[in-house]
Amino acid sequence: EGACLPRTSFPHFEPGPGPLPLPEMADCSVRITGLGGTRDAHRKRKNLEDLASALGARVAQQSTRWSEITHLVCVMPELLDRRTFDAAGRKNVPVVTVQWLFDCFKIHARQSEAKYSVAANMLLSKIDPPGKGSDASLQSSRSFVADVLAGHDVLI
């Protein structure tokens, strides 16, 4: 809204390189997903929702209809429900990693979703029986998440 906010307004992330919100984010409606059931998940979700709002995107809640969602932002792809992933694909809603939000903020421009796309092979297969590759899949997913989140200790 053109206002210059003090740094203390958003203590969970650093000041950006320019004014917010970003005009090109105004048509985005993001749903944050893939956070897990930890005690800390609520705080993480709130921080990410604050970031999305500061960027100029609308934040879609669980009850929001798919027709109103433009992006599914996944914090940990291995925690994303396969049915949600498939539904997003059917509705042509891009499923992106949380890095997309971080880079939009850091670079001060909406980034192409293609670079941050969550692929089906990143999801933890819930149908693999234990000992049939699921441990390797989990390890691979954890490595991906660690790489994505490594430089973002401010929000995590």
Side-chain angles (χ1 to χ4, degrees):
E1 286 128 31
C4 186
L5 301 171
R7 287 181 182 218
T8 56
S9 294
F10 300 101
H12 44 275
F13 56 89
E14 63 197 36
L20 294 173
L22 302 176
E24 61 267 29
M25 294 293 283
D27 62 341
C28 295
S29 176
V30 302
R31 180 172 157 204
I32 310 294
T33 189
L35 281 165
T38 65
R39 283 188 272 165
D40 221 21
H42 179 73
R43 183 183 58 81
K44 289 178 186 178
R45 178 180 305 279
K46 177 72 173 118
N47 289 346
L48 291 170
E49 289 175 349
D50 287 350
L51 175 59
S53 293
L55 287 168
R58 290 179 312 283
V59 176
Q61 302 302 320
Q62 287 290 109
S63 60
T64 304
R65 294 180 300 204
W66 275 107
S67 61
E68 299 172 27
I69 298 172
T70 63
H71 295 78
L72 200 59
V73 178
C74 186
V75 177
M76 293 185 286
E78 71 272 15
L79 297 179
L80 179 61
D81 182 65
R82 182 60 186 229
R83 292 176 304 208
T84 302
F85 178 81
D86 292 342
R90 285 192 304 274
K91 303 290 184 182
N92 293 320
V93 172
V95 181
V96 295
T97 64
V98 71
Q99 189 66 42
W100 178 71
L101 279 179
F102 295 149
D103 286 352
C104 289
F105 180 79
K106 181 176 165 185
I107 298 168
H108 201 254
R110 181 172 167 182
Q111 300 300 296
S112 169
E113 292 82 2
K115 179 179 174 184
Y116 305 94
S117 182
V118 172
N121 64 357
M122 291 180 184
L123 305 178
L124 181 63
S125 176
K126 292 180 173 49
I127 57 173
D128 282 346
K132 298 282 186 188
S134 60
D135 290 339
S137 174
L138 180 59
Q139 185 61 37
S140 171
S141 296
R142 284 188 181 142
S143 296
F144 170 78
V145 172
D147 291 343
V148 169
L149 298 177
H152 301 285
D153 58 342
V154 174
L155 281 173
I156 305 305

